[in-house]
Amino acid sequence: MDTLLDLLNSRPLVNGEERDALDPVGGRRWAREHGGAGSLAELALLRETRDVLRDIVRGESSPAALSPLLEGVHQIPEITSDGLQWMVKTPPHARLAVEVVLAWAATEKHMPGRLRPCANVECRLFLLDRSRANRARWCSMAVCGNREKARRHYERTH
């Protein structure tokens, strides 16, 4: 799940300027840090996966938009001493992107509605609400939450 959130949050606004952690230079490092190889084909697929998942989580696209990303991917059952496990077979450059899509599917199954965009309209980040009440609204209480509270306070007092 951490890689899922890291991928969704890999294109933040910093001081009003977009930063892409998956650019050709920094993207290689990002991919390697998350278990990938950092090839150009892998980075292109990660960027596409990020954009499709971003639109799905925001409710702007249907999960069917993931279909092209999963072409040629197969799950094969394997019996081990620990029981049944599923091995994912995919082209090497697609492995990390497929793992992120599977993490998204698992999150939707086990924690429905808890992966969502930050409520700050000026923020592009996402959050995974792990709270019992399922009421988290901001990617960071210290940054976005504080800004929203300060904005509301200013509106009430002026």
Side-chain angles (χ1 to χ4, degrees), residues 34-91:
H34 291 84
S39 71
L40 292 178
E42 182 180 51
L43 289 177
L45 194 56
L46 284 168
R47 283 191 293 271
E48 184 180 355
T49 301
R50 173 190 60 198
D51 294 346
V52 170
L53 283 172
R54 178 198 62 217
D55 291 347
I56 291 169
V57 173
R58 287 184 178 155
E60 298 168 1
S61 287
S62 143
L66 292 167
S67 291
L69 299 172
L70 298 174
E71 288 179 17
V73 176
H74 303 282
Q75 280 193 317
I76 300 169
E78 184 177 285
I79 303 296
T80 68
S81 59
D82 296 328
L84 177 66
Q85 294 186 352
W86 291 91
M87 303 302 294
V88 176
K89 298 291 184 182
T90 183

Side-chain angles (χ1 to χ4, degrees), residues 118-138:
C118 179
N120 178 355
V121 295
E122 297 170 6
C123 180
R124 286 195 183 171
L125 300 182
F126 292 81
L127 64 119
L128 181 60
D129 186 353
R130 292 180 171 102
S131 71
R132 188 188 315 219
N134 191 21
R135 292 172 56 174
R137 298 181 55 208
W138 300 290

